[in-house]
Amino acid sequence: MRTVIQRVSKASVTIKGTLKSEIKKGFLILIGICNDDTIEDVEWLVKKIANLRVFDDDEGVMNRSIIDVQGDILVVSQFTLFASYKKGNRPSWFKAGSHEHSIPLYEAFCRQLTETIGKPVGTGEFGADMKVELINDGPVTICMDTKNKE
């Protein structure tokens, strides 16, 4: 699994002109899933993200987690995080997971994040054409890949 985690002051996702989800202070997480990802990858990623200390404490030091600040999370599926661009100029998506494999992991990721942070997680719609808006706070943007856990 690959993620792009952006600390935001607000974010939203709109599908076909209808607002699907919006959040205030927290994380916008773009997530890509490949066919060899497992529930263990979900568990590792949820734990890592929930405890990621990138929010300021009273001294202005990034020392608080999303749980500490009671922040919101918006998760958007993003198969293009597995783009292969080595050959030519048109990316291919052969590394991205199939819908049959990816949807249950995406749903498990969102469910486990909801349980871990103790509040509902906003979502996009898997496979939909989405319009994502955000105000990146910092900016703070962190990429995580479960294949690089070290």
Side-chain angles (χ1 to χ4, degrees):
M1 293 182 160
R2 288 185 181 157
T3 58
V4 176
I5 303 155
Q6 298 181 81
R7 187 179 76 180
V8 298
S9 53
K10 67 179 181 177
S12 65
V13 62
T14 302
I15 302 168
K16 295 181 180 173
T18 302
L19 180 67
K20 169 78 165 85
S21 296
E22 68 180 332
I23 64 167
K24 294 186 177 168
K25 178 181 180 177
F27 288 148
L28 168 65
I29 301 173
L30 306 176
I31 185 167
I33 299 168
C34 69
N35 279 324
D36 61 353
D37 287 328
T38 66
I39 196 68
E40 288 78 20
D41 292 311
V42 168
E43 292 164 357
W44 181 86
L45 206 49
V46 166
K47 183 178 178 182
K48 203 69 167 167
I49 290 169
N51 293 293
L52 189 62
R53 297 181 339 183
V54 296
F55 293 93
D56 291 349
D57 62 16
D58 294 335
E59 320 290 292
V61 176
M62 285 195 277
N63 204 26
R64 291 190 174 149
S65 71
I66 191 83
I67 296 169
D68 295 333
V69 300
Q70 300 178 345
D72 297 328
I73 296 179
L74 174 57
V75 180
V76 176
S77 61
Q78 184 88 34
F79 76 94
T80 60
L81 292 177
F82 280 102
S84 177
Y85 46 83
K86 295 191 185 250
K87 198 173 172 183
N89 292 316
R90 183 177 176 194
S92 66
W93 320 113
F94 70 92
K95 292 180 181 179
S98 68
H99 279 151
E100 295 77 26
H101 179 75
S102 299
I103 291 173
L105 290 175
Y106 171 79
E107 290 173 349
F109 178 75
C110 294
R111 195 170 43 252
Q112 285 190 28
L113 266 178
T114 293
E115 292 168 8
T116 301
I117 68 167
K119 63 188 332 187
V121 168
T123 63
E125 182 180 312
F126 197 93
D129 180 19
M130 296 174 271
K131 306 302 179 206
V132 180
E133 292 186 72
L134 69 131
I135 297 180
N136 195 317
D137 180 20
V140 174
T141 303
I142 296 175
C143 299
M144 286 188 191
D145 191 319
T146 58
K147 304 304 182 262
N148 296 320
K149 294 179 185 173
E150 313 301 303

